[in-house]
Amino acid sequence: MTIRSADYVEVIRAAIERVGTTQGDRVAAAADLMTATIQAGGVIQAFGCGHSEALAMEIAGRAGGLVPTNRIALRDIVLYGGEPLSALADPQLERTPSVAHRLYDLAPVKPDDTFVIASNSGVNGAVVEMAQLVKQRGHALIAITSLEHSARVDSRHDSGLKLGDLADVVLDNGAPYGDASLPLPGGGAVGAVSSITAALLAQQIVTEVVARLLAFGVTPPVYLSDNVPGGREHNAALEARYAGRIRRTA
């Protein structure tokens, strides 16, 4: 069996075409929720564990993205909660439901905020508990997950629920079971899909939000790159509108 990077490109090209062109209604529904939040003065709260944190980074605090966005991450228990750094060495942390309550309480969350939660499997304790908590507190919830993978595994949460069971809008990242796409001799696979397709969905939603704001006659609060002339000043002026509501860390 020969493994080639060109094969991976073909897999990703097909995944992008499938994910990017078959979920227009769900992308639109997610954009509607986020647009309403921004118009109400709220913030988009993005959360993901492990590699799904890449989705939160795609939503919050990047060039071409929306300013009223905040990234929630497991390391917030150290950065803002006073836990020792060693707490992050626990490989079971993302499977621990109680950490979701700690993260929610530490975050600058307001009632009008909408949450975007990403998890390829959608079954780990912290993610499911966060989704439950978000809905209990009355927030809109957008989920980005692999429907194929999630359907083939059991929930690790006591409720038996999965991320997709709790969300108002569920977007499928199109990743295969196990995420990796090119089978290896003897078992296993290489070439993960979810990070790329989740980023595609995030950018589709953001683009649709900006289109809606423009249609409403609102100047979209969008970041410029800090690495273009005037970018840092532009961004600082927009961030000042949301002082205490968004956090930007390394």
Side-chain angles (χ1 to χ4, degrees):
M1 180 182 294
T2 302
I3 299 293
R4 304 178 307 151
S5 62
D7 298 327
Y8 177 67
V9 171
E10 288 304 311
V11 167
I12 290 300
R13 182 179 290 118
I16 288 173
E17 177 68 18
R18 184 173 65 256
V19 170
T21 62
T22 62
Q23 302 183 81
D25 289 346
R26 282 179 269 181
V27 168
D32 286 341
L33 291 175
M34 289 173 56
T35 302
T37 291
I38 292 171
Q39 288 188 296
V43 165
I44 310 304
Q45 304 284 348
F47 175 60
C49 300
H51 282 90
S52 291
E53 189 183 346
L55 181 281
M57 296 174 72
E58 200 69 24
I59 292 286
R62 65 155 302 144
L66 298 164
V67 174
T69 53
N70 184 63
R71 172 164 46 104
I72 299 172
L74 290 176
R75 60 182 168 276
D76 291 352
I77 63 173
V78 174
L79 292 175
Y80 306 106
E83 297 291 333
L85 186 60
S86 59
L88 300 180
D90 180 2
Q92 299 299 313
L93 191 59
E94 69 176 298
R95 299 184 182 181
T96 305
S98 60
V99 76
H101 293 263
R102 185 80 169 122
L103 292 171
Y104 183 95
D105 291 341
L106 289 169
V109 178
K110 298 292 184 184
D112 288 332
D113 293 353
T114 286
F115 277 71
V116 181
I117 299 180
S119 171
N120 193 58
S121 68
V123 300
N124 282 324
V127 164
V128 177
E129 186 76 10
M130 180 68 85
Q132 279 194 321
L133 181 59
V134 162
K135 293 312 300 173
Q136 289 166 3
R137 299 294 175 88
H139 302 286
L141 172 59
I142 299 161
I144 299 180
T145 189
S146 166
L147 294 183
E148 179 181 341
H149 187 115
S150 191
R152 293 178 59 178
V153 294
D154 294 330
S155 175
R156 291 180 173 140
H157 191 271
D158 289 343
S159 68
L161 295 172
K162 303 174 185 180
L163 173 60
D165 298 327
L166 294 158
D168 299 289
V169 179
V170 180
L171 291 153
D172 181 14
N173 67 26
Y177 176 69
D179 202 355
S181 57
L182 301 177
L184 297 171
V190 67
V193 172
S194 65
S195 297
I196 293 174
T197 51
L200 168 65
L201 288 167
Q203 293 301 330
Q204 285 184 282
I205 296 167
V206 168
T207 300
E208 289 292 328
V209 171
V210 168
R212 283 158 172 72
L213 291 174
L214 288 170
F216 290 136
V218 176
T219 300
V222 172
Y223 277 110
L224 295 177
S225 170
D226 270 0
N227 299 308
V228 300
R232 182 162 298 187
E233 294 76 13
H234 167 91
N235 296 338
L238 288 176
E239 287 179 340
R241 301 180 189 174
Y242 302 96
R245 301 281 289 110
I246 60 176
R247 301 184 299 209
R248 298 292 179 254
T249 59

